[in-house]
Amino acid sequence: MSRDRFVELMRDAVIQLPQDLKAVLRIVEDPEVDDGSRVLVAGALLHVISEGTSIPGVRGALQHAGSVLVIRLALEKAREASPEALARHAEESPELFGPMDEQLDAARAFIGDGMKVLEALVQKLPKLNHQGHSAEQCVHDTESSNWLYDTVHVSLVETLEIDEEDVAREIKGVDRIRKSLQARAAR
């Protein structure tokens, strides 16, 4: 049953990814969120726009599922560090935060120990650099912050056009996600 629930939740989350990125940008720009969380979340955005592969050997909708999980894991950590500020963002973006806990629970149940691979990747997000812009610069430097905003919006048009039919068809291959992450975790 956990597989079916994971498929259902990831299908919806992948389709929602472009809108989620806009909500995540607002968190990066919010001075009420602690700096460490803002840098972490900026790193998650850099990971997505750099087309980083969270799950080795997968592409398309399954690669986007990895991006979804990385973003949610980063937001989970940010929520722990800045609960009040993230509660406000949850009210403003219920489509992102509403299902987040259930999505992560389903991922943990379905992927098991393979989630450690994604959690390790999230730990590295604050040090991420893309096209000469670090996650920290994207929070503290106006030029880099503007670059991140513009680059996310360009990515939404150029590389993150998500076709619902493609997602519905490809997301059925989620067993590849579990297999790949569990194999990597076993190393």
Side-chain angles (χ1 to χ4, degrees), residues 35-49:
D35 277 359
S37 295
R38 291 172 63 206
V39 171
L40 176 68
V41 174
L45 285 174
L46 290 175
H47 176 74
V48 173
I49 63 175

Side-chain angles (χ1 to χ4, degrees), residues 102-123:
E102 186 179 6
Q103 291 165 345
L104 287 173
D105 288 346
R108 288 178 173 119
F110 177 68
I111 298 170
D113 286 343
M115 285 296 286
K116 292 177 186 175
V117 174
L118 297 177
E119 290 164 354
L121 184 132
V122 169
Q123 294 295 324

